[in-house]
Amino acid sequence: MDIEAAKRNAAIRAVHDHFDPSARYIGIGSGTTIVYVVEAITELGIDTSNIRFVPTGYQSRQNILHYGLTPIAFDSLPANTLMEVAFDGADEIDEDLNCIKGGGACLYQEKLVATHAKKFVCVADHRKLQHRLLSHWPSVPIEVEPLAASVVLSALRALGSTGPKVRTGPMSKAGPLKTDQSNFIIDAPFQTLLLPQDKESTDSGHSKGWEVEALAKEIKLIEGVLSVGIFCGENGQEAEKAGKKMGGQKPIAAYFGMEDGGVVVRSAGSKTVSTDEIPVE
């Protein structure tokens, strides 16, 4: 099975399990996999006229419009409102559901939407299913204010990044790629990121590898950094249980379209991956 068919199968399963027809607001992420999520929603054949879909960027908004759904800008949401669910992709997902996002340069808006949803659901293909972050994906995307790019690059090297670079656009002669907020993206390679249980036999510094949350926090402290492409910490349901008004960064579940046509689900609180038993039509 080709990659696009695998993505479509994962999207159909995720929509089947998490789309709520009574929802008022739903987040729609960026990237090729999420095209199939929006397609799957429209193919349900239900009335969505009362649902407003919150995009994570220009491309995401165009996707929503293309399928005849109604977009609403993030800053037009009513005060203190959480979306019922946000669907988005990822560049890599580890066994604790930490994610790397930002390959499409929309990570700031993606994090805004994810942290303002009751639950964030990730949809991807089998290539994104990893035990640890930076196992396959090469770097951490970071959105930075252009004026601070050189300062951020120096600080990232001090944290152990090998060869962080400002991402260039499709035509390198045109200069750095710019996000929807006119910021730069820095791609910062690090060693494979560790989970808390991995750190039991190592120190807390970067010499033997950074723990996921520790690295995300250190990068965010750098002056000039707007957003870090590591989605970690609590998920939306955990944040709600803790009495917080915002959701969490991590997904409650990730759906992976596999080469054999099946869909594998990795859920919060479980280190194992379970095969979806409901067939995809």
Side-chain angles (χ1 to χ4, degrees):
M1 173 173 287
D2 67 26
I3 290 296
E4 296 308 308
K7 291 177 181 178
R8 180 180 281 110
N9 285 348
I12 291 170
R13 264 307 0 106
V15 168
H16 175 276
D17 290 350
H18 295 282
F19 177 76
D20 180 359
S22 66
R24 187 73 181 93
Y25 301 103
I26 291 177
I28 297 294
S30 312
T32 57
T33 306
I34 302 306
V35 172
Y36 299 121
V37 168
V38 180
E39 179 184 81
I41 290 172
T42 59
E43 288 181 350
L44 292 174
I46 64 173
D47 180 11
T48 60
S49 59
N50 289 324
I51 303 176
R52 298 295 177 263
F53 294 85
V54 185
T56 58
Y58 175 83
Q59 180 259 359
S60 175
R61 184 175 187 276
Q62 296 307 306
N63 184 27
I64 292 167
L65 290 170
H66 174 77
Y67 282 95
L69 304 177
T70 304
I72 181 173
F74 177 83
D75 59 1
S76 294
L77 287 171
N80 301 315
T81 295
L82 292 180
M83 289 162 266
E84 276 75 12
V85 62
F87 295 97
D88 206 349
D91 301 311
E92 202 166 60
I93 306 167
D94 72 16
E95 66 180 34
D96 273 3
L97 293 178
N98 299 298
C99 304
I100 287 180
K101 295 173 54 57
C106 295
L107 65 98
Y108 175 60
Q109 291 192 63
E110 288 172 343
K111 190 163 282 191
L112 273 179
V113 169
T115 56
H116 287 79
K118 295 176 183 177
K119 57 181 180 178
F120 163 34
V121 175
C122 221
V123 186
D125 62 75
H126 55 87
R127 299 172 300 175
K128 314 302 175 66
L129 176 61
Q130 302 292 336
H131 290 294
R132 300 291 184 271
L133 297 183
L134 298 183
S135 294
H136 179 72
W137 191 258
S139 55
V140 177
I142 304 159
E143 187 160 349
V144 305
E145 206 284 324
L147 187 64
S150 61
V151 173
V152 175
L153 287 168
S154 295
L156 289 168
R157 294 187 193 100
L159 292 177
S161 179
T162 53
K165 294 180 180 179
V166 175
R167 189 183 302 177
T168 57
M171 296 178 61
S172 58
K173 66 181 181 180
L177 178 148
K178 289 196 173 183
T179 69
D180 286 356
Q181 288 74 44
S182 296
N183 292 314
F184 290 173
I185 296 289
I186 289 177
D187 293 305
F190 283 91
Q191 296 180 46
T192 300
L193 300 184
L194 307 178
L195 295 178
Q197 58 267 33
D198 301 326
K199 298 298 294 182
E200 293 177 1
S201 59
T202 68
D203 60 27
S204 59
H206 60 72
S207 61
K208 296 184 180 180
W210 280 97
E211 188 271 327
V212 174
E213 288 192 47
L215 180 61
K217 289 176 181 177
E218 284 294 327
I219 295 175
K220 188 65 171 67
L221 289 173
I222 301 171
E223 193 67 40
V225 169
L226 177 65
S227 193
V228 182
I230 299 173
F231 286 53
C232 59
E234 295 176 323
N235 63 41
Q237 293 176 339
E238 290 167 341
E240 182 180 22
K241 185 179 292 186
K244 298 179 181 179
K245 294 182 179 180
M246 288 175 55
Q249 296 182 19
K250 286 205 303 190
I252 62 162
Y255 289 72
F256 301 91
M258 306 305 288
E259 291 180 285
D260 63 2
V263 177
V264 160
V265 184
R266 180 173 277 173
S267 300
S270 174
K271 298 291 192 300
T272 60
V273 286
S274 60
T275 303
D276 193 331
E277 298 177 352
I278 303 175
V280 176
E281 297 179 358

